[in-house]
């Protein structure tokens, strides 16, 4: 018969065995590692595509959106139920969580599928060096919000091809007539991994794009600053309960409020952009 031992006042029973984890506990034990791994993979693919790809064409975007919705569906359902029951939400709360997890899950998974396949093809396929004639370089987005990307149209084998480049590419391609590129093809679309320009030209283009971006968004920065100052003044001089000291707000709650405000501003900007491009710009 085994006997318990005492060490520094703590009793150790050699016959004690931890109860086995049930399925619910096993799921919760892998939540944090899965979230960290998922976002780490997304960040790695994002950074790699920014470094490797100069231009690309998303020919399978709509198709991959369907596959991304299928792949992320179990995670969306699990996240909805997990957050909804933890928050003791009502039915509309579950709908809100479902929309939120669907928005992030589908589009992040779609991005990883497309960019991951492009990066894989870059690694295993041979590219060709071509000298092409630039037909058009156009900034794509709102006048005031700054360009979201640069649409570059060039002639390859007698046919025009339009690719999506990063926003700052406009500043180093707008005055070019001919460029040398490394061109490749993928199931996801055509891509360019190198444009034969000096690093100084690209660095100068980044600087011009940054100045242009700051100029176009200067009023948004002033609005955000005014909202922050207004919130501080209200909390200091116009408390919700006069006579009582203001309740301190935790760091995570303050961060969540600021992020919610910023996301709301971005959504309003995109809605305004869509209205401008759809109903105004085309008729001017």
């Amino acid at each position: 018969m085994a006997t318990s031992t005492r060490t520094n006042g703590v009793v150790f029973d050699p016959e004690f065995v931890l109860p086995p984890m049930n399925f619910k506990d096993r799921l919760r034990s892998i939540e944090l590692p899965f979230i960290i791994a998922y976002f780490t993979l997304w960040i790695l693919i994002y950074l790699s595509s920014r470094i490797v790809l100069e231009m690309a064409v998303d020919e399978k975007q709509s198709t991959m959106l369907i596959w991304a919705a299928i792949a992320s569906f179990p995670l969306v359902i699990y996240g909805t139920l997990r957050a909804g029951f933890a928050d003791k939400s009502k039915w509309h709360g579950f709908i809100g969580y479902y929309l939120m997890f669907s928005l992030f899950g589908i589009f992040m998974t779609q991005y990883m599928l497309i960019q991951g396949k492009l990066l894989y093809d870059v690694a295993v396929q041979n590219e060709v060096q071509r000298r092409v004639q630039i037909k058009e370089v156009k900034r794509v987005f709102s006048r005031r919000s700054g360009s979201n990307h640069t649409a570059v149209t060039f002639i390859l084998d007698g046919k025009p091809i339009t690719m999506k480049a990063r926003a700052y590419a406009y500043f180093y391609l707008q005055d070019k007539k001919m460029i040398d590129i490394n061109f490749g093809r993928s199931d996801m679309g055509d891509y360019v991994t190198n444009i034969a320009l000096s690093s100084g030209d690209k660095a100068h283009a980044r600087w011009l794009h940054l100045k242009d971006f700051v100029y176009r968004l200067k009023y948004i920065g002033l609005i955000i600053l005014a909202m922050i100052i207004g919130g501080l003044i209200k909390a200091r001089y116009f408390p919700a309960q006069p006579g009582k000291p203001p309740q301190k707000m935790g760091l995570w709650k303050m961060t969540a409020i600021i992020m919610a405000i910023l996301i709301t501003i971005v959504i309003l900007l995109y809605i305004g952009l869509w209205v401008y491009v759809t109903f105004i710009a085309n008729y001017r």
Side-chain angles (χ1 to χ4, degrees), residues 111-130:
Y111 181 87
M112 288 194 295
L113 291 175
I114 294 176
Q115 299 299 319
K117 184 59 170 62
L118 283 173
L119 292 172
Y120 174 79
D121 290 336
V122 170
V124 301
Q125 294 184 7
N126 295 325
E127 303 165 12
V128 294
Q129 295 183 350
R130 303 293 297 270

Side-chain angles (χ1 to χ4, degrees), residues 33-51 68 72 102-117 119:
F34 176 82
I35 292 174
I36 294 175
Y38 184 86
F39 280 98
T40 301
L41 179 61
W42 189 91
I43 292 173
L44 288 176
I45 292 177
Y46 173 79
L47 294 177
S48 299
S49 65
R50 297 284 293 185
I51 295 172
S72 61
S102 296
L103 179 66
F104 284 96
I106 293 176
F107 287 102
M108 290 183 67
T109 303
Q110 180 204 33
Y111 181 87
M112 288 194 295
L113 291 175
I114 294 176
Q115 299 299 319
K117 184 59 170 62
L119 292 172

Side-chain angles (χ1 to χ4, degrees), residues 118-149:
L118 283 173
L119 292 172
Y120 174 79
D121 290 336
V122 170
V124 301
Q125 294 184 7
N126 295 325
E127 303 165 12
V128 294
Q129 295 183 350
R130 303 293 297 270
R131 184 170 182 81
V132 298
Q133 175 188 355
I134 294 183
K135 183 179 180 181
E136 184 183 29
V137 178
K138 184 172 61 176
R139 305 175 72 181
V140 180
F141 220 39
S142 169
R143 292 180 180 179
R144 293 192 173 277
S145 297
S147 59
N148 180 45
H149 69 270

Side-chain angles (χ1 to χ4, degrees), residues 220-221 223-232 249-267:
I220 302 300
I223 292 174
I224 295 175
L225 181 61
M227 293 175 63
I228 295 175
I229 295 176
L232 295 175
M249 185 178 298
L251 174 63
W252 289 107
K253 186 176 182 180
M254 181 181 300
T255 303
I257 293 176
I258 294 175
M259 290 301 297
I261 293 174
L262 294 178
I263 292 174
T264 302
I265 293 175
V266 171
I267 292 175

